[in-house]
């Protein structure tokens, strides 16, 4: 069984585009909400670091609004790629009802992975800076003038953990889609599950002759 379909049929393009767009919007919304939490921990992460990385998206809005814009722009493309790969590993091959259930389960896996990974990253950040040893982060104070180094370090590790968790969730989602695709293919080839009009005709039996 190939990991990816070598070609796409014309009737698969529209559902593939819908899946990818839906995943992009969900990922972007999660990123916007996620960065509100990040901003609460370290405003400087956005006002002194992200403001330079996303200068093209700085429309002069309040800092919290800018943080949500950064969150959306930093994650929508990840959702778009995830939707494309989910489609290519078999999601669009499933019947519509099963496809929706599988897609919602994929959302749950990826978002849960991102949340758990982010929490783990933040926990690591808190633990490693608990004693006030921030020698490994001093260059950020020198380069961009970070004052609350501990908050900055916690948010940086929260984001790193979130990306790793999302990656783990995406892998689980791909495996789940492959499993459902294989199950659907197995049912389609099993006896008694042939599509209408494809049943094997009964063998010819000559009429019984009565002996006089």
């Amino acid at each position: 069984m190939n990991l990816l379909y070598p070609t796409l049929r014309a009737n698969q393009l529209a559902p593939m585009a819908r899946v990818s767009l839906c995943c992009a919007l969900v990922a972007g919304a999660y990123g916007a909400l996620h960065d509100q939490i990040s901003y609460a921990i370290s405003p400087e992460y956005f006002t002194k670091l992200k403001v330079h990385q996303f200068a093209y998206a700085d429309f002069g809005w309040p800092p919290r609004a800018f943080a949500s814009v950064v969150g959306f722009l930093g994650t929508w493309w990840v959702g778009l790629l995830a939707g494309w790969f989910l489609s290519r590993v078999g999601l669009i091959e499933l019947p519509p009802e099963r496809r929706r259930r599988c897609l919602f389960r994929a959302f749950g896996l990826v978002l849960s992975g991102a949340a758990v990974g982010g929490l783990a990253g933040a926990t690591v950040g808190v633990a490693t800076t608990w004693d006030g040893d921030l020698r490994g982060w001093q260059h950020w104070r020198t380069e961009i003038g970070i004052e609350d180094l501990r908050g900055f370090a916690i948010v940086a590790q929260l984001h790193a953990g979130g990306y790793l968790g999302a990656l783990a969730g995406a892998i689980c989602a791909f495996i789940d889609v492959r499993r459902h695709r294989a199950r659907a293919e197995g049912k389609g080839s099993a006896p008694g599950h042939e599509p209408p009009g494809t049943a094997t005709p009964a063998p010819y039996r000559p009429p019984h002759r009565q002996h006089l």
Side-chain angles (χ1 to χ4, degrees), residues 86-101:
L86 285 172
S87 298
R88 292 294 280 161
V89 299
L91 185 63
I92 57 175
E93 292 291 314
L94 300 175
E97 184 60 33
R98 182 178 294 182
R99 183 190 308 160
R100 283 191 291 271
R101 291 198 302 268

Side-chain angles (χ1 to χ4, degrees), residues 61-76:
W61 294 349
R64 273 194 174 276
F66 176 69
S68 287
V69 172
V70 169
F72 185 91
L73 294 177
T75 54
W76 74 268

Side-chain angles (χ1 to χ4, degrees), residues 37-189:
I37 299 172
S38 300
Y39 185 89
I41 299 172
S42 175
E44 289 180 298
Y45 187 83
F46 297 93
T47 59
K48 293 185 178 179
L49 175 64
K50 294 299 181 180
V51 71
H52 301 296
Q53 296 177 350
F54 291 87
Y56 64 90
D58 185 3
F59 304 112
W61 294 349
R64 273 194 174 276
F66 176 69
S68 287
V69 172
V70 169
F72 185 91
L73 294 177
T75 54
W76 74 268
W77 60 272
V78 179
L80 187 73
L81 290 178
W84 185 86
F85 276 108
L86 285 172
S87 298
R88 292 294 280 161
V89 299
L91 185 63
I92 57 175
E93 292 291 314
L94 300 175
E97 184 60 33
R98 182 178 294 182
R99 183 190 308 160
R100 283 191 291 271
R101 291 198 302 268
C102 206
L103 182 59
F104 289 146
R105 191 161 45 248
F107 287 156
L109 288 169
V110 176
L111 296 181
S112 297
V116 172
L119 180 60
T123 302
V124 170
V126 170
T128 56
T129 60
W130 187 264
D131 59 357
D133 185 4
L134 297 165
R135 287 173 295 179
W137 299 90
Q138 290 297 330
H139 64 285
W140 290 109
R141 174 170 290 167
T142 303
E143 293 178 7
I144 58 176
I146 298 295
E147 296 179 8
D148 181 11
L149 275 180
R150 189 179 183 218
F152 184 88
I154 292 171
V155 167
Q157 295 187 71
L158 183 156
H159 280 227
Y163 277 112
L164 290 175
L167 177 60
I171 293 172
C172 292
F174 296 153
I175 294 172
D176 184 63
V177 169
R178 293 270 293 171
R179 181 171 58 86
H180 279 82
R181 172 190 162 195
R183 184 181 300 174
E185 289 179 348
K187 285 184 178 180
S189 60

